[in-house]
């Protein structure tokens, strides 16, 4: 067991996993249909099963390379101290917990950018390859120092805010996963047993990784209202790196002092993290977390010119605003954020029946704080589709937002996936919508199944002949205008794009696309705030379908926003 020997294959296997990870979203998904992918998967599994059978039924001498005199696995395990066997479990558990925590932080606290999880996972796999190769054994002190710097950078990046926070957080998180992971995995390699104990060793690694993953994916969402596992994971990583790295002579003499040194370094990092954390003047009214992410409702007091100072409630998903309401009788029913008269309000003011004062049936995919309900009148019918029960809880709580509780018209709240619910309505022959609003994209990773040609065909199937399909296309990371242009061309629809500026201090700039079956004249207030999209300047793409496609061509440069 002196050389890397058979354990070097573990580095090779992680490099293979890394190549497979990068190949699928960039080389497979955009070019191969689902049918071809399933066929390739079936063939691959068949070949894999056949190879497993060959190994299982091969003579023992062939499986062991002729080393039939090697000591039994249990005997090799028995020679390993209990502390060493514990490390086989603890180190991979810590690194897997770290991977999940960093990914959750980037996806929830920073931004749910499409494919953002690929970068942390790639760094994690690469750290295993380095740890189980000769690179990890070179200058271990330098690796620990680099990991400590990455941990300090992560504490600083956590204090950044807005679109500019993606780059520092992504770089720092990736660095912690790679450098910290390399330290932990080289340590894991250093305590390996002889080759005869390989199966117990790999079993402990698998069990530790599963335990760390379940702790982050299953326990943390139930225990914490926010992504508290992120600083907790970095704290554990800081303590383990300090334990593994060079220590003062006094600290290295006794095990108890090593514990004290590692704990002190972890506590020092936690103090740094707390000192650099961002501070706001807002008061948190609600915080909750479930499978779909974390939600917060905050309250600030803001000035509204001569009207005075009023409380304002914000609905946050990470750093993205999903609803704003001013808590005053005069402004409570105003369209805010992306839903002002020159934003989402265009869908209403441009519809002839709405302008004539006639009742309209409105469907909204994506509830948020329920801001679009401010356009409702007696005689209208609004139906909101929302998959996240936590969002429904927030939007219907009058202590948080009153768009729905104060609405003068009937409101249906439909839980579940909007596309499936619309398909059921179509099959049941439910009345069509005059206005259908697709608001499931804003500031978020776009649900692919809501953005395909078949999905848009369903939206039009649920729309009245003179109806308007409104698509909220404001998005930090994905340019949705080429998508709207592509599906409009495929379905023979007429597209009108509106890029609105900020109308006042309670609205935000936004991008909306309105699709109709026939050419439409758009009349709405505050037209001076809108710049119309020139579709000839929007690039052409192939419309994605359920069977084949990818949203990668729509990605903006995430570091130039």
């Amino acid at each position: 067991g002196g050389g890397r020997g058979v354990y070097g294959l573990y580095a090779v296997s992680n490099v293979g996993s890394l190549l497979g990870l990068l190949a699928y979203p960039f080389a497979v998904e955009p070019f191969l249909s689902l049918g071809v992918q399933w066929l390739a998967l079936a063939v691959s599994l068949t070949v894999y099963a056949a190879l497993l059978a060959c190994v299982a039924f091969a003579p023992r001498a062939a499986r062991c390379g002729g080393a039939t005199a090697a000591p039994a696995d249990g005997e090799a395990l028995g020679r390993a101290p209990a502390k060493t066997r514990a490390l086989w479990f603890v180190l991979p558990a810590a690194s897997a917990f770290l991977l999940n925590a960093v990914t959750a932080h980037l996806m929830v606290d920073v931004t749910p950018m499409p494919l953002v999880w690929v970068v942390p996972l790639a760094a994690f796999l690469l750290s295993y390859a380095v740890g189980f190769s000769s690179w990890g054994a070179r200058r271990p002190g330098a690796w620990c120092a680099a990991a400590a710097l990455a941990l300090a950078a992560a504490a600083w990046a956590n204090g950044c805010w807005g679109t500019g926070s993606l780059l520092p957080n992504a770089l720092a998180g990736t660095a912690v996963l790679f450098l910290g992971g390399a330290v932990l995995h080289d340590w894991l390699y250093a305590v390996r047993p002889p080759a005869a104990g390989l199966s117990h060793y790999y079993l402990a690694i698998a069990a530790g990784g599963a335990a760390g993953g379940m702790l982050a994916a299953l326990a943390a969402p139930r225990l914490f209202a926010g992504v508290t596992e992120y600083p907790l994971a970095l704290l554990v990583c800081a303590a383990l790196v300090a334990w593994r790295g060079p220590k003062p002579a006094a600290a290295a003499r006794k095990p108890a002092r090593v514990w004290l040194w590692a704990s002190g370094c972890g506590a020092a990092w936690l103090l740094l993290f707390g000192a650099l954390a961002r501070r706001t003047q807002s008061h948190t009214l609600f915080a909750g977390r479930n499978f779909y992410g974390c939600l917060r409702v905050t309250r600030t007091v803001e000035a509204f010119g001569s009207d005075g100072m009023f409380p304002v409630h914000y609905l946050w998903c990470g750093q993205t605003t999903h609803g704003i309401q001013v808590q005053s009788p005069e402004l409570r029913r105003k369209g805010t954020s992306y839903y002002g008269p020159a934003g989402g309000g265009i869908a209403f003011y441009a519809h002839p029946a709405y302008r004539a004062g006639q009742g309209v049936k409105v469907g909204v995919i994506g509830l948020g704080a329920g801001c679009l309900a401010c356009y409702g009148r007696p005689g209208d019918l609004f139906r909101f589709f929302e998959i996240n029960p936590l969002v429904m809880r927030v939007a219907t709580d009058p202590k948080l937002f009153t768009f729905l509780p104060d609405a003068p018209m009937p409101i249906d709240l439909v839980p579940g996936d909007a596309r499936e619910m619309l398909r059921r309505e179509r099959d049941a022959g439910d009345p069509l919508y005059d206005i259908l609003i697709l608001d499931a994209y804003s500031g978020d990773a776009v649900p692919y199944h809501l953005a395909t040609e078949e999905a848009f065909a369903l939206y039009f199937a649920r729309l009245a002949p003179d109806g308007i399909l409104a698509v909220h296309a404001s998005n930090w990371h994905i340019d949705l205008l080429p998508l709207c242009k592509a599906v409009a061309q495929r379905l023979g629809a007429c597209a009108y794009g509106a890029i609105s500026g900020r109308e006042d201090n309670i609205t935000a700039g936004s991008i909306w696309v309105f699709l109709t079956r026939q050419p439409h004249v758009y009349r709405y207030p505050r037209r001076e705030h809108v710049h119309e999209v020139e579709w000839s300047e929007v690039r052409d793409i192939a419309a994605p379908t359920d069977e084949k496609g990818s949203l990668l061509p729509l990605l903006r440069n995430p570091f130039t926003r």
Side-chain angles (χ1 to χ4, degrees):
R4 298 237 161 201
V6 69
Y7 289 101
L9 296 176
Y10 198 57
V12 175
S13 70
N14 279 281
V15 171
S17 298
L18 174 61
L19 294 177
L21 168 70
L22 298 178
Y24 183 78
F26 298 107
V28 175
E29 185 183 34
F31 306 108
L32 299 180
S33 66
L34 286 179
V36 174
Q37 292 180 41
W38 278 112
L39 179 61
L41 177 62
V43 171
S44 300
L45 290 177
T46 301
V47 173
Y48 180 66
L51 292 174
L52 285 180
C54 291
V55 173
F57 293 105
R60 177 176 175 81
R63 296 200 305 268
C64 300
T68 55
D73 195 47
E75 180 183 344
L77 179 67
R79 290 200 298 266
K83 174 185 174 182
T84 299
R85 297 199 298 271
L87 287 174
W88 298 350
F89 178 87
V90 171
L91 293 175
S95 65
F97 185 73
L98 180 66
L99 168 65
N100 282 270
V102 170
T103 304
H105 170 65
L106 293 178
M107 292 289 291
V108 176
D109 281 343
V110 182
T111 177
M113 176 183 172
L115 295 179
V116 72
W117 56 270
V118 170
V119 177
L121 184 53
F124 175 79
L125 293 172
L126 193 58
S127 72
Y128 255 114
V130 168
F132 277 71
S133 70
S134 59
W135 293 348
R138 296 173 184 170
R139 300 184 181 275
W143 283 99
C144 291
L149 289 175
L151 286 161
W156 168 78
N158 182 67
C160 299
W161 181 258
T163 56
S165 68
L166 175 60
L167 179 57
N169 275 281
L171 291 178
T174 302
V176 168
L177 274 171
F178 174 65
L179 297 171
V183 170
L184 299 182
H185 299 147
D186 180 66
W187 188 359
L188 181 62
Y189 172 77
V191 295
R192 71 196 182 282
L198 179 146
S199 60
H200 281 86
Y201 176 67
Y202 282 164
L203 180 62
I205 291 177
M214 288 190 293
L215 189 62
L218 301 180
R222 293 183 175 273
L223 296 174
F224 308 126
V227 189
T228 309
E229 67 268 26
Y230 177 66
L232 182 60
L234 295 185
L235 169 64
V236 171
C237 182
L240 289 174
V241 167
W243 193 330
R244 176 63 171 167
K247 293 172 280 293
R253 290 173 187 166
K254 294 182 179 180
R257 293 182 180 180
V258 176
W259 275 92
L260 186 61
W261 166 255
S263 301
C265 290
W269 178 88
L270 189 61
L271 289 174
L272 178 66
F273 185 88
L276 296 176
R278 54 181 175 263
R279 303 286 191 269
T280 67
Q281 298 298 318
S282 61
H283 171 63
T284 299
L285 300 176
F286 173 86
R289 182 177 182 181
N290 62 6
F291 172 80
Y292 299 99
C294 300
L295 289 181
R296 289 183 301 116
V297 179
T298 61
R299 178 187 181 99
T300 61
V301 178
E302 301 177 18
F304 291 86
S306 59
D307 293 333
M309 304 284 290
F310 298 110
V312 183
H313 290 187
Y314 289 82
L315 174 61
W316 298 95
C317 181
Q319 296 186 22
T320 303
T321 305
H322 281 250
I324 301 173
Q325 187 178 35
V326 183
Q327 302 298 307
S328 77
E330 298 81 8
L331 301 174
R332 189 187 297 268
R333 292 277 299 163
K334 294 285 187 180
T336 59
S337 61
Y338 312 112
Y339 312 109
I346 295 176
F348 298 91
Y349 296 120
H351 196 282
Y354 187 90
R355 289 202 312 272
Q358 301 171 12
V360 294
K361 182 180 180 181
V362 180
V364 183
I365 301 175
L367 174 59
C371 186
L372 285 167
C374 71
Y375 293 100
R377 310 155 305 177
D380 295 335
L381 172 62
F382 274 57
R383 179 170 293 165
F384 288 89
F385 300 88
E386 178 57 55
I387 198 171
N388 189 345
L390 200 58
V391 171
M392 299 180 73
R393 173 183 168 187
V394 167
T396 55
D397 187 344
K399 296 179 181 178
L400 303 177
F401 297 98
T402 62
F403 290 117
L404 299 188
D406 290 349
M409 71 292 184
I411 292 180
D412 293 336
L413 295 180
V414 181
D417 178 72
R419 181 169 170 180
E420 175 61 20
M421 298 300 108
L422 286 172
R423 184 192 64 78
R424 294 182 185 181
E425 288 186 0
R426 180 198 62 190
D427 296 344
D430 282 6
L432 301 177
Y433 293 96
D434 298 295
I435 301 171
L436 186 58
I437 301 173
L438 182 56
D439 189 29
Y441 298 164
S442 176
D444 204 344
V446 174
Y448 180 82
H449 74 294
L450 296 181
T452 63
E453 181 182 329
E454 292 85 350
F456 276 86
L458 175 61
Y459 304 149
F460 270 97
R462 295 296 304 131
L463 202 62
D466 61 345
I468 297 176
L469 173 62
V471 181
H472 189 188
S474 309
N475 196 292
W476 286 0
H477 309 297
I478 295 183
D479 182 6
L480 290 166
L481 292 180
L483 171 67
C484 294
K485 180 180 180 180
V487 295
Q489 291 175 340
R490 289 288 298 169
L491 300 177
C494 301
Y496 173 82
I499 302 175
S500 68
R502 187 174 183 179
E503 303 171 53
D504 48 44
N505 60 339
I506 58 173
T507 58
S510 61
I511 303 174
W512 287 82
V513 176
F514 305 93
L515 303 172
T516 55
R517 290 186 175 89
Q518 301 296 331
H520 189 82
V521 177
Y522 288 84
R523 300 187 181 93
Y524 49 90
R526 300 190 181 181
R527 194 183 183 97
E528 68 275 9
H529 292 278
V530 173
H531 167 69
E532 296 183 18
V533 172
E534 181 55 58
W535 291 106
S536 62
E537 299 177 1
V538 176
R539 57 195 174 92
D540 295 309
I541 64 167
T545 66
D546 290 346
E547 183 67 16
K548 180 182 177 182
S550 171
L551 297 179
L552 280 178
L554 303 178
L555 283 179
R556 307 178 193 270
N557 184 339
F559 304 137
T560 59
R561 296 294 294 161

